[in-house]
Amino acid sequence: MGSLAGFAKKASPGKATVLALGKAFPHQLVMQEFLVDGYFKNTNCDDPELKQKLTRLCKTTTVKTRYVVMSDEILKKYPELAMEGLPTVKQRLDICNKAVTQMAIEASQACIKSWGRPITDITHVVYVSSSEARLPGGDLYLARGLGLSPETQRVMLYFMGCSGGVSGLRVAKDIAENNPGSRVLLATSETTIIGFKPPSAERPYDLVGVALFGDGAGAMIVGSDPVPSERPLFELHTAIQNFLPNTEKTIDGRLTEEGISFKLARELPQIIEDNIEGFCGKLMGNIGFTNNDYNKMFWAVHPGGPAILNKLEKRLNLLPDKLNASRRALMDYGNASSNTIVYVLEYMLEESLKMKSQDHEDTDWGLILAFGPGITFEGILARNLTV
């Protein structure tokens, strides 16, 4: 049993651990209750039916606040972003490339500060984004912006959507475990400007994104065999990825002349529900857990939306507080795509300390899960080292 001041649990030799977390956001904070009026005003639209639909969606997403790069200044400079059917991919990328780099740098700096070791100890970068496109990529601009050594080895994961953060963690784990002494900076950064469009009766599914998605960045330091000055948060025991055949159209994203367009099929939450037990079973079997043990674990689930969390909770018969961290992240930041898992893990640490202080039984082991285009399931069996 660790103490509240904690960090008493030892990481297994050679296993990757998360050593620090960091986050950053753009300056615009949007309150969900003001979103509808602001969005329709900004896009010069006065369709009462669409407005009513978005108002309804804003309630069902459970999001209360989220951060966005989009601002009055940007719309003044690029009014074409709020007009239908104009080719604007160049303008969008001009804004997005710069914004995601800035946020990634800030999140990484916060993470490195929390980690407490010199920046020169970072040996690898894994950079994740679905909000930019350029050569060289954001991995290089992040490395340069942080002042990393030119010998830092970089990996870039582009256009992976909501599963990108956990994909990045899986890759960082592999790097850390195969390069003894390495310290991997994982950075994720996203902005919805790449897909911002005026409302249209022909694209009702766009409104789901308007009601749900947010911007921001996240960062983690990953490494094995922590030194005494480091305080490991989670041990990453086993990581797997599966795709579900014949579900490619369920999450459909395309880069067009007008930016990215996304379609999420209605059956997405049901498909996840139907496949979640088998997927989790593969991970849990590594420590001898079965489907009777779901409530003995912590659940750090990417909150794609409330329907996904509700279905998962029902299918696995989880106790009401098991998805608290995911629900809080969704409420406070919206679905910020690949970043959101960082926010969930931060809240997970808070939740576990709260449980500990109330003398609840330890839940050391847990699952870090995300679902993205493919449909791709990403999962990591992890151990909380802080309680």
Side-chain angles (χ1 to χ4, degrees):
M1 298 279 281
S3 67
L4 264 182
F7 308 107
K9 291 203 179 99
K10 285 226 173 344
S12 307
K15 281 283 182 197
T17 58
V18 176
L19 296 165
L21 299 167
K23 61 184 188 290
F25 300 99
H27 300 305
Q28 276 73 240
L29 174 69
V30 176
M31 310 290 288
Q32 193 80 330
E33 62 207 271
F34 303 126
L35 176 117
V36 178
D37 287 341
Y39 175 59
F40 276 79
K41 179 172 155 279
N42 286 340
T43 53
N44 300 311
C45 178
D46 56 1
D47 183 321
E49 210 172 303
L50 285 176
K51 204 169 187 181
Q52 209 175 358
K53 183 167 186 180
L54 183 57
T55 306
R56 241 185 0 256
L57 282 167
C58 279
K59 287 194 178 80
T60 58
T61 58
T62 71
V63 179
K64 292 266 183 4
T65 52
R66 96 279 288 278
Y67 294 85
V68 295
V69 170
M70 181 57 89
S71 64
D72 290 343
E73 294 77 46
I74 286 173
L75 275 176
K76 206 174 277 181
K77 191 175 175 186
Y78 301 98
E80 61 272 34
L81 296 183
M83 295 175 198
E84 190 66 51
L86 292 180
T88 50
V89 76
K90 183 192 178 305
Q91 294 93 313
R92 290 171 195 277
L93 289 175
D94 282 350
I95 304 161
C96 293
N97 291 344
K98 190 177 165 194
V100 291
T101 297
Q102 187 56 40
M103 292 190 294
I105 289 169
E106 287 173 19
S108 299
Q109 285 169 335
C111 185
I112 292 161
K113 188 178 177 191
S114 167
W115 175 44
R117 282 180 63 177
I119 198 165
T120 47
D121 289 355
I122 290 171
T123 56
H124 297 73
V125 168
V126 177
Y127 176 78
V128 180
S129 184
S130 298
S131 307
E132 62 155 77
R134 53 183 159 175
L135 295 171
D139 59 325
L140 182 118
Y141 291 104
L142 171 63
R144 205 183 71 182
L146 289 172
L148 296 179
S149 156
E151 291 172 13
T152 308
Q153 296 174 54
R154 310 181 326 272
V155 174
M156 188 167 63
L157 302 177
Y158 263 14
F159 293 110
M160 301 188 80
C162 289
S163 57
V166 184
S167 297
L169 200 49
R170 174 173 51 78
V171 171
K173 168 181 162 61
D174 281 354
I175 293 169
E177 291 176 355
N178 287 302
N179 297 273
S182 62
R183 289 296 178 265
V184 187
L185 170 65
L186 166 64
T188 66
S189 195
E190 308 284 4
T191 171
T192 46
I193 281 185
I194 195 91
F196 180 90
K197 290 184 178 67
S200 162
E202 287 163 32
R203 295 191 315 275
Y205 40 82
D206 278 3
L207 295 179
V208 176
V210 175
L212 186 63
F213 289 107
D215 299 359
M220 304 190 211
I221 301 283
V222 178
S224 56
D225 302 315
V227 300
S229 68
E230 292 175 316
R231 301 176 305 168
L233 307 173
F234 296 97
E235 178 183 304
L236 306 175
H237 186 282
T238 307
I240 61 172
Q241 181 198 62
N242 286 180
F243 70 88
L244 303 178
N246 307 315
T247 60
E248 296 88 351
K249 295 277 187 285
T250 311
I251 303 172
D252 188 65
R254 287 153 198 266
L255 186 58
T256 69
E257 291 85 349
E258 300 163 53
I260 280 185
S261 61
F262 263 115
K263 284 187 198 173
L264 300 171
R266 278 177 187 276
E267 61 269 21
L268 175 63
Q270 189 59 52
I271 293 171
I272 290 171
E273 184 190 345
D274 291 344
N275 291 276
I276 193 66
E277 285 181 285
F279 184 73
C280 292
K282 289 176 193 171
L283 285 164
M284 292 164 64
N286 286 286
I287 48 164
F289 276 20
T290 69
N291 59 3
N292 296 323
D293 298 316
Y294 292 138
N295 282 306
K296 291 182 185 167
M297 308 180 76
F298 69 80
W299 293 82
V301 183
H302 168 81
I308 291 171
L309 296 178
N310 294 343
K311 293 259 187 200
L312 198 137
E313 185 176 75
K314 184 167 157 270
R315 174 59 65 104
L316 304 180
N317 210 10
L318 296 180
L319 295 168
D321 59 0
K322 284 291 174 183
L323 294 178
N324 271 2
S326 298
R327 294 192 191 281
R328 284 176 65 193
L330 183 63
M331 191 166 73
D332 293 346
Y333 307 114
N335 177 346
S337 196
S338 66
N339 310 315
T340 324
I341 202 64
V342 179
Y343 315 150
V344 172
L345 288 173
E346 273 202 337
Y347 281 145
M348 183 55 65
L349 292 173
E350 259 184 51
E351 294 284 330
S352 60
L353 283 177
K354 195 164 74 186
M355 301 292 274
K356 179 76 179 169
S357 67
Q358 294 164 1
D359 277 343
H360 283 271
E361 194 184 335
D362 271 3
T363 47
D364 290 357
W365 290 98
L367 295 180
I368 301 170
L369 300 173
F371 318 102
I375 294 171
T376 301
F377 279 44
E378 288 279 0
I380 299 176
L381 175 69
R383 190 159 66 100
N384 185 341
L385 298 173
T386 68
V387 289

